[in-house]
């Protein structure tokens, strides 16, 4: 059993908190109403209002709230926690959840936390640490001191940088001139510049694909998307929100004066010897501008087709498809399923000096040597359709269209494929056969779809099991039941999962790969398309031709020990028999 102490950062409903405090006699009804009113007017927590005014102490609040949940309170000052107890909780976990392990028994671990209402933290810790975790409550300030005492910070971390930025350190710029001067200042003179750089650096160190800066009512939240899953990290104080957002917008050449409309920008940085492009998007929200930075690592394009996750048989099939002289090849899937990465890998695979390749993209995510790439700019009339008309006069062999969004673009793509060009593009459909009906729904004539389409590949991304903490396990009956007819096949195999370690940040996963559904269009399928049969009939024919569904390909990779049943079930729908 493990016990952890956490800090007081109460996020529960303010009305509920004052109701408890009033119920135990710590505050009067009038004090409850006044504190709630001031909390709303000043946009603060009711806890801060009560403690700042001397109405009640933090420890009294802690004891009252803890008693409601049958928890004890503890003082960490003067407490000597053994190192073997501290080692039970990795530093990144302790800091992320703001908890301190205080003692352990044979059956559990006890941790100190500051918010007795935050039951989700204890549930998360039980899952991460793979043991029973109990909680005791300690003041937030004592938890911060203990975290710094027992988990020494990296001098180059965001956490340490936040500690250096005290209330008087940052002078909030108010004019465009002041913001430009801050942007040109040295790191020693501008802590915000260093802080933003460290946020980007830590995102890269953690293999994040996106950085999310999200203004909330009482918090400025920072999250990283790692292997497709969002993880919250140490957040800067709310008072730094404006300065951080302004710094990012300056780096991305966005207008710092415009805060009412969405904007897009781009940042190019070199991190640990790697050239990174950050695609920046801002959008106004109720509590300020929300910023998302998409991290585009040019070296990830050098992986090639084998690293996408193909088994050898599927890779050979796909390589034959993408070397066809003409026709349309579509990659389908929802946003974030790796379609663009697959298309770039295809282009890199077939990029030779004797072939002219032109792409039309919105935006151009990666720049590839030897390929002509066109950025769509709808504001000046350079749409997908307009760009396609012009580039066909450039006599390319291969054309890549970022996405087929409308009838005009689809018709030009079809005509290009019928006049000797090989066309790559993407569609947003759930499976491969549905792409046929999607094109017809857009307005493309069925006989044109039948004549031009060579193959369609649907894909999803699943997380890879961490090799460092991989272990055998037996699937639950519920998981097997969800697999349906494939359950017996899985039941006879040896399955694996990640236990969780420092290498994978205790998630059990490290990296991602694709699962695929490859639908080749033969003569019979062309006749079916011409007759406008339903996607279910096309799917049935594709199965007869040997197409494996997304789930079937995922199960193959589960049996091969590459990913887990949980991941495959998460990203795939039930197959239609």
């Amino acid at each position: 059993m493990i016990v952890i102490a956490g800090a007081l950062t109460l996020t529960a409903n303010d009305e509920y908190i004052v109701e408890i405090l009033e119920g135990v006699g710590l505050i009067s009804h009038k004090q409850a109403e006044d504190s709630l009113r001031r909390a709303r007017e000043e946009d603060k927590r009711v806890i801060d209002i009560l403690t700042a005014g001397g109405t009640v102490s933090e420890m009294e609040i802690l004891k009252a709230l803890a008693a409601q949940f049958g928890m004890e309170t503890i003082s960490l000052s003067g407490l000597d926690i053994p190192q073997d107890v501290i080692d039970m909780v990795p530093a990144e976990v302790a800091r992320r959840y703001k908890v301190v392990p205080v003692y352990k028994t044979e059956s559990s671990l006890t941790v100190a936390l500051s918010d007795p209402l935050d039951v989700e933290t204890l549930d998360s810790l039980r899952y991460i640490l793979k043991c029973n975790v109990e909680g005791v409550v300690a003041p937030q300030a004592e938890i911060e001191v203990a975290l710094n005492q027992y988990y020494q910070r990296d001098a180059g971390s965001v956490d340490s940088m936040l500690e250096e930025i005290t209330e008087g350190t940052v002078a909030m710029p108010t004019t465009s001139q002041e913001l430009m001067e801050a942007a040109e200042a040295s790191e020693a003179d501008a802590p915000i510049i260093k802080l933003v750089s460290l946020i980007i650096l830590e995102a890269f160190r953690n293999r994040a694909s996106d950085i999310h800066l999200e203004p909330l009512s009482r918090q400025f939240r920072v999250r990283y998307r790692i292997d497709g899953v969002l993880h919250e990290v140490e957040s800067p104080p709310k008072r730094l929100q404006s300065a951080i957002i302004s710094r990012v917008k300056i780096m991305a050449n966005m207008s710092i004066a415009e805060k009412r409309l969405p904007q897009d920008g781009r940042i190019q940085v070199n991190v640990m010897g790697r050239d990174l492009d950050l695609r920046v998007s801002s959008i106004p929200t109720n509590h300020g501008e929300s910023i998302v930075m998409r991290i585009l690592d040019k070296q990830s394009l050098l992986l090639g087709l084998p690293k996408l996750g193909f088994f050898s048989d599927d890779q050979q099939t796909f390589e034959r498809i993408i070397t066809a002289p003409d026709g349309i090849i579509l990659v389908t899937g929802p946003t974030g399923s790796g379609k663009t990465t697959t298309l770039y890998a295809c282009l890199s695979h077939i990029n030779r000096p004797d072939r002219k390749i032109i792409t039309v993209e919105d935006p151009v995510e990666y720049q590839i040597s030897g390929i002509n790439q066109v950025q769509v700019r709808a504001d000046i009339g350079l749409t997908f359709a307009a760009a396609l008309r012009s580039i066909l006069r450039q006599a390319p062999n291969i054309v890549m269209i970022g996405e087929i969004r409308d009838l005009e673009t689809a018709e030009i793509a079809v005509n290009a494929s019928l006049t000797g060009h090989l066309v790559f593009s993407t569609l947003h459909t759930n499976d491969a056969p549905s792409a046929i009906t999607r094109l017809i729904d857009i307005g493309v004539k069925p006989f044109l779809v039948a004549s031009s389409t060579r193959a369609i590949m649907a894909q999803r991304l699943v997380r890879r099991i961490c090799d460092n903490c991989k272990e055998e396990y037996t699937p639950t009956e519920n998981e097997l039941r969800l697999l349906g007819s494939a359950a017996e096949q899985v039941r006879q195999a040896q399955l694996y999962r990640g236990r969780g370690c420092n290498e994978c940040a205790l998630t059990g996963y490290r990296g991602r790969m694709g699962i695929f559904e490859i639908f080749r269009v033969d003569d019979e399928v062309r006749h079916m398309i011409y007759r406008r049969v339903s996607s279910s009939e096309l799917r049935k024919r594709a199965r007869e031709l040997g197409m494996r569904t997304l789930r079937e390909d995922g199960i193959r990779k589960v049996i091969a020990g590459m990913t887990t049943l949980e991941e495959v079930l998460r990203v795939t729908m039930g197959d239609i028999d």
Side-chain angles (χ1 to χ4, degrees):
M1 171 175 156
I2 301 176
V3 179
I4 302 177
L8 178 58
T9 311
L10 298 176
T11 58
N13 186 279
D14 283 344
E15 286 83 354
Y16 178 60
I17 293 175
V18 296
E19 182 182 333
I20 292 175
L21 298 180
E22 185 182 349
V24 297
L26 283 177
I27 58 176
S28 67
H29 182 67
K30 185 177 184 304
Q31 288 173 322
E33 289 184 337
D34 289 345
S35 62
L36 286 172
R37 177 182 51 77
R38 287 187 56 195
R40 284 190 291 269
E41 291 174 352
E42 301 176 23
D43 193 23
K44 292 182 178 179
R45 299 181 312 160
V46 73
I47 298 293
D48 298 330
I49 298 294
L50 291 169
T51 55
T55 306
V56 63
S57 70
E58 180 181 356
M59 184 56 79
E60 287 177 319
I61 295 174
L62 282 176
K63 288 180 178 179
L65 295 176
Q68 294 293 315
F69 295 88
M71 299 174 69
E72 297 180 359
T73 55
I74 188 174
S75 175
L76 297 180
S77 58
L79 186 65
D80 186 16
I81 305 173
Q83 187 59 43
D84 63 328
V85 174
I86 293 295
D87 291 341
M88 294 285 290
V89 182
E92 60 269 23
V93 174
R95 292 198 179 279
R96 182 191 309 168
Y97 292 99
K98 292 185 173 60
V99 298
V100 177
V102 289
Y103 54 86
K104 65 176 181 177
T105 66
E106 292 182 359
S107 59
S108 69
L109 173 72
T110 299
V111 301
L113 69 163
S114 63
D115 183 1
L117 284 71
D118 188 8
V119 293
E120 290 184 3
T121 287
L122 294 177
D123 289 339
S124 299
L125 290 170
R126 290 180 186 113
Y127 176 77
I128 292 171
L129 301 176
K130 304 293 189 295
C131 67
N132 183 37
V133 178
E134 303 294 339
V136 293
V137 184
Q140 178 175 345
E142 292 187 6
I143 287 180
E144 292 292 344
V145 170
L147 285 172
N148 293 330
Q149 176 183 349
Y150 294 105
Y151 299 101
Q152 293 184 356
R153 294 183 187 273
D154 179 355
S157 71
V158 171
D159 292 351
S160 61
M161 185 68 235
L162 288 174
E163 284 186 351
E164 295 172 17
I165 302 179
T166 59
E167 192 72 44
T169 304
V170 181
M172 299 297 284
T174 57
T175 67
S176 299
Q177 182 62 33
E178 289 175 350
L179 284 166
M180 293 307 297
E181 290 172 358
E184 295 170 0
S186 68
E187 286 191 354
D189 297 328
I192 289 296
I193 294 176
K194 186 175 180 182
L195 175 59
V196 171
S197 298
L198 284 172
I199 288 173
I200 295 172
L201 174 61
E202 287 206 355
F204 176 75
R205 285 174 175 169
N206 287 287
R207 303 175 296 105
S209 60
D210 304 281
I211 304 170
H212 294 251
L213 308 178
E214 302 167 316
L216 306 178
S217 61
R218 300 175 184 177
Q219 178 189 6
F220 183 50
R221 183 168 65 182
V222 178
R223 294 193 290 178
Y224 296 155
R225 189 182 297 278
I226 303 171
D227 293 335
V229 178
L230 282 170
H231 298 270
E232 187 167 350
V233 297
E234 182 73 16
S235 298
K238 179 74 172 175
R239 60 187 170 81
L240 301 182
Q241 173 181 314
S242 179
I244 292 172
I245 289 176
S246 295
R247 172 59 185 164
V248 172
K249 292 175 72 174
I250 288 171
M251 294 174 68
N253 293 317
M254 297 158 67
S255 171
I256 55 175
E258 181 56 75
K259 299 181 179 181
R260 301 166 301 170
L261 296 173
Q263 294 187 68
D264 294 310
R266 199 166 196 134
I267 300 172
Q268 292 186 324
V269 293
N270 185 283
V271 177
M272 299 172 64
R274 299 269 285 270
D275 289 327
L276 302 181
D277 280 346
L278 276 68
R279 199 174 77 199
V280 184
S281 170
S282 75
I283 189 169
T285 69
N286 287 344
H287 306 291
E289 290 178 280
S290 175
I291 299 278
V292 175
M293 291 182 276
R294 175 90 181 273
I295 301 175
L296 306 173
D297 183 3
K298 295 177 180 179
Q299 289 195 14
S300 65
L301 285 181
L302 305 177
L303 297 176
L305 290 176
K307 298 293 184 180
L308 295 179
F310 286 109
F311 275 127
S312 58
D313 55 348
D314 281 343
Q315 183 177 331
Q316 291 171 7
T317 299
F318 194 60
E319 286 179 354
R320 285 196 300 271
I321 290 170
I322 65 176
T323 52
D326 55 32
I328 293 180
I329 297 170
L330 295 171
V331 180
T332 76
T335 300
S337 59
K339 300 186 298 295
T340 302
T341 301
T342 297
L343 287 182
Y344 277 122
C346 292
L347 295 183
S348 299
H349 183 76
I350 60 180
N351 185 16
R352 297 205 310 253
D354 61 338
R355 292 174 175 167
K356 179 159 187 173
I357 303 175
I358 303 182
T359 72
V360 185
E361 306 170 65
D362 183 20
V364 174
E365 294 193 3
Y366 299 96
Q367 296 176 3
I368 308 177
S369 176
I371 294 179
N372 302 276
Q373 295 172 272
V374 178
Q375 167 76 55
V376 168
R377 290 192 58 188
D379 57 328
I380 60 172
L382 186 59
T383 61
F384 274 107
L388 279 172
R389 289 193 200 94
S390 299
I391 68 173
L392 291 180
R393 291 194 287 272
Q394 297 275 315
N397 301 103
I398 299 162
V399 177
M400 187 193 91
I401 307 168
E403 181 184 349
I404 294 179
R405 301 180 179 178
D406 51 44
L407 175 58
E408 191 176 12
T409 304
E411 285 182 333
I412 296 173
V414 167
N415 290 331
S417 70
L418 295 175
T419 53
H421 302 86
L422 181 61
V423 179
F424 291 91
S425 190
T426 69
L427 270 180
H428 287 276
T429 61
N430 287 329
D431 61 5
S434 296
I436 298 293
T437 53
R438 171 67 177 150
L439 286 174
I440 295 174
D441 289 341
I442 288 175
V444 183
K445 298 290 190 295
F447 74 90
L448 291 176
V449 176
S451 303
S452 60
T453 309
R454 293 287 175 269
I456 304 162
M457 183 174 77
Q459 70 175 66
R460 299 289 189 278
L461 291 177
V462 294
R463 291 180 289 176
R464 292 179 183 269
I465 299 173
C466 174
D467 290 331
N468 190 58
C469 59
K470 193 173 184 178
E471 64 179 10
E472 298 180 358
Y473 94 106
T474 302
T476 66
E477 286 301 319
N478 184 50
E479 288 175 324
L480 294 172
R481 186 169 59 254
L482 291 172
L483 289 175
S485 59
E488 195 56 39
Q489 179 186 6
V490 171
R491 197 188 300 272
Q492 297 173 2
Q494 178 58 63
L495 305 188
Y496 297 87
R497 65 180 175 190
R499 182 177 61 257
C501 64
N502 290 335
E503 290 289 321
C504 60
L506 301 171
T507 62
Y509 300 98
R510 186 173 176 83
R512 288 190 291 176
M513 65 178 177
I515 57 175
F516 307 98
E517 180 176 285
I518 303 174
F519 177 24
R520 300 191 67 175
V521 179
D522 66 357
D523 289 337
E524 184 175 340
V525 171
R526 291 190 180 92
H527 289 303
M528 295 174 72
I529 296 171
Y530 184 74
R531 299 198 309 270
R532 302 187 68 154
V533 303
S534 66
S535 59
S536 60
E537 291 184 64
L538 288 172
R539 186 177 182 81
K540 183 178 179 181
R541 173 58 185 163
R543 299 293 301 277
E544 292 171 355
L545 290 172
M547 181 189 82
R548 269 184 292 268
T549 65
L550 288 166
R551 176 163 292 187
E552 287 171 343
D553 190 46
I555 289 173
R556 285 208 304 167
K557 286 161 185 172
V558 168
I559 293 173
M562 301 164 73
T563 188
T564 63
L565 269 180
E566 180 185 11
E567 277 294 286
V568 173
L569 292 170
R570 179 176 66 88
V571 303
T572 62
M573 298 172 61
D575 295 331
I576 300 172
D577 292 327

